[in-house]
Amino acid sequence: MKNMGSDIQPLVVFVVIALVTLIIPTNANLSPHFYDKDCPQALPLIRSVVQRAINREPRVGASLLRLHFHDCFVNGCDGSVLLDDTTNFVGEKTAFPNNNSIRGFSVVDEIKAEVDKACKRHVVSCADILAIAARDSVAIYGGQPFWYQVLLGRRDARTASRAAANSNLPPPTFSFSQLVSNFKSHGLNVRDLVALSGGHTIGFARCTNFRNRIYNESNIDPRFAASLRNICPRRGGDNNLEKLDASPARVDTTYFTDLLHKKGLLHSDQELFKGQGSESDKLVQLYSRSPLAFARDFKASMIKMGNLKPLTGNQGEIRCHCRRVN
Ligand code: HEM
Ligand SMILES: *[C@@H]1O[C@H](CO)[C@@H](O)[C@H](O)[C@H]1NC(C)=O
Ligand SMILES: *[C@@H]1O[C@H](CO)[C@@H](O)[C@H](O)[C@H]1NC(C)=O
């Protein structure tokens, strides 16, 4: 009897661990095949609308990537960022990091209309459209190494919150430790922070977001700072645009090599590299010399970000129009 007891115990522990592993969802029950049966046309169609939109306006893929990020960091990837204000709530569009800044809404509307028409009903959520459009944009600007299977099955929120957007999205004035703790609050680590900041390999920022950096900061290449003072004067020109890295329509490692040379445009960008041998410094160095390491980590972190608190099952709804609840 004594012997049997000590044989059974490890077995019981094993069974319990196996059950717990099965019960706790590691990918929040999202699946790359979620629309395979109900609307197999959805993914190729979205890709073609995104490609068409980028052909029309090269910047817009960057804007779509940022929309997915700003969606996921505010109460999870639930399409809340797309909702207009109503009498019941003030939405996220006028929160500080978003106001006069996030864009790409008309492309989302275009995708939604075409997908609903092709599927003949409302099956694809707005939250999933953001995840797919972000993935497609990155793959269009970066090529095959940046393509990944996007997990699907998110549903759409029935509400949104400007206050939540203000408190959950990191501003470009954040220090390294503030960035780390913001990402940590979303379940993301330093590697995720550095890899995902590589999203700034595409797109643009407004003068108001880098003025202090080019006039007041010391951890910046002086010639780089001087070269930006025309486009971004001390007073006025708040909305004037500058590219976030030297190649704003290519997903590549230029963002990271720029950081090595103190040419990060935003304060928060340069916080990731100070040349003091930190974990973050080492990741910037790694990604600057290895496009494949950057691609591998960026994709893994995008999938992690895309898994933030999705609504699934019968939570939320599938919106008929991405700007308003049904
Ligand atoms: C680490 C914290 C981050 C901060 C503080 C930050 C801040 C900013 C700021 C201030 C801008 C310029 C907005 C404007 O001037 O209107 C911007 C643009 C952008 N951000 Fe971030 N960001 C962060 C992380 C991310 C992440 C994780 C992604 C995606 C993976 C991302 C993707 C983008 C893109 C693509 C743009 C350009 C958008 C466009 O051209 O329309 N950012 N970000
Ligand atoms: C958003 O921007 C508009 C236009 O610049 C401005 O009038 C408005 O006050 C801003 N809203 C918030 C909440 O800051
Ligand atoms: C530079 O820093 C000073 C002191 O913090 C501030 O008052 C000033 O507005 C800053 N200049 C710019 C151009 O941001």
Side-chain angles (χ1 to χ4, degrees), residues 301-320:
S301 295
M302 282 293 285
I303 291 167
K304 254 172 106 172
M305 184 174 84
N307 274 329
L308 292 178
K309 295 201 289 181
L311 301 172
T312 56
N314 52 16
Q315 298 169 312
E317 63 184 23
I318 305 297
R319 266 178 230 150
C320 301

Side-chain angles (χ1 to χ4, degrees), residues 211-212 215-216 234:
R211 178 181 285 123
N212 187 61
Y215 289 101
N216 272 340
R234 281 181 188 276

Side-chain angles (χ1 to χ4, degrees), residues 25 49 55 66 151 159 163 181 193 200 219 246 282 297 307 318:
V49 180
N55 292 346
R66 188 164 185 240
L151 298 175
T159 186
S181 64
L193 167 64
H200 291 174
N219 189 21
K282 286 180 186 143
D297 288 359
N307 274 329
I318 305 297

Side-chain angles (χ1 to χ4, degrees), residues 94 99-100 162:
T94 54
N99 199 24
N100 304 311
R162 178 164 73 189

Side-chain angles (χ1 to χ4, degrees), residues 59 62-63 65-66 69 100-101 103 170-172 179 183 193 196-197 199-200 202-206 209 244 266 268 298 302 305:
R59 180 187 176 191
S63 309
L65 171 60
R66 188 164 185 240
F69 161 51
N100 304 311
S101 184
R103 53 200 300 284
L179 292 167
F183 270 59
L193 167 64
L196 287 173
S197 293
H200 291 174
I202 51 177
F204 293 79
R206 291 170 304 137
N209 282 317
L244 279 160
L266 305 177
S268 51
F298 181 77
M302 282 293 285
M305 184 174 84

Side-chain angles (χ1 to χ4, degrees), residues 83-228:
L83 290 173
D84 288 336
D85 295 353
T86 70
T87 46
N88 295 324
F89 60 80
V90 179
E92 294 162 21
K93 291 179 176 179
T94 54
F96 283 114
N98 290 338
N99 199 24
N100 304 311
S101 184
I102 47 169
R103 53 200 300 284
F105 298 108
S106 61
V107 178
V108 175
D109 291 342
E110 200 179 327
I111 293 171
K112 178 67 172 162
E114 291 210 22
V115 161
D116 283 3
K117 200 170 138 202
C119 307
K120 298 194 175 67
R121 54 205 180 87
H122 308 292
V123 282
V124 182
S125 69
C126 299
D128 277 350
I129 286 175
L130 290 182
I132 299 163
R135 186 277 309 265
D136 289 341
S137 296
V138 168
I140 288 167
Y141 293 122
Q144 170 64 24
F146 285 90
W147 190 90
Y148 56 94
Q149 269 202 324
V150 61
L151 298 175
L152 302 168
R154 300 170 190 82
R155 290 167 64 85
D156 297 323
R158 292 202 178 93
T159 186
S161 161
R162 178 164 73 189
N166 276 326
S167 56
N168 287 295
L169 291 168
T173 49
F174 263 11
S175 67
F176 179 70
S177 65
Q178 288 174 310
L179 292 167
V180 170
S181 64
N182 174 276
F183 270 59
K184 197 173 173 200
S185 75
H186 298 288
L188 300 170
N189 59 30
V190 171
R191 187 173 283 262
D192 299 313
L193 167 64
V194 179
L196 287 173
S197 293
H200 291 174
T201 181
I202 51 177
F204 293 79
R206 291 170 304 137
C207 165
T208 185
N209 282 317
F210 59 87
R211 178 181 285 123
N212 187 61
R213 171 149 172 78
I214 62 173
Y215 289 101
N216 272 340
E217 292 191 352
S218 52
N219 189 21
I220 186 168
D221 177 294
R223 273 172 306 180
F224 176 66
S227 74
L228 295 171

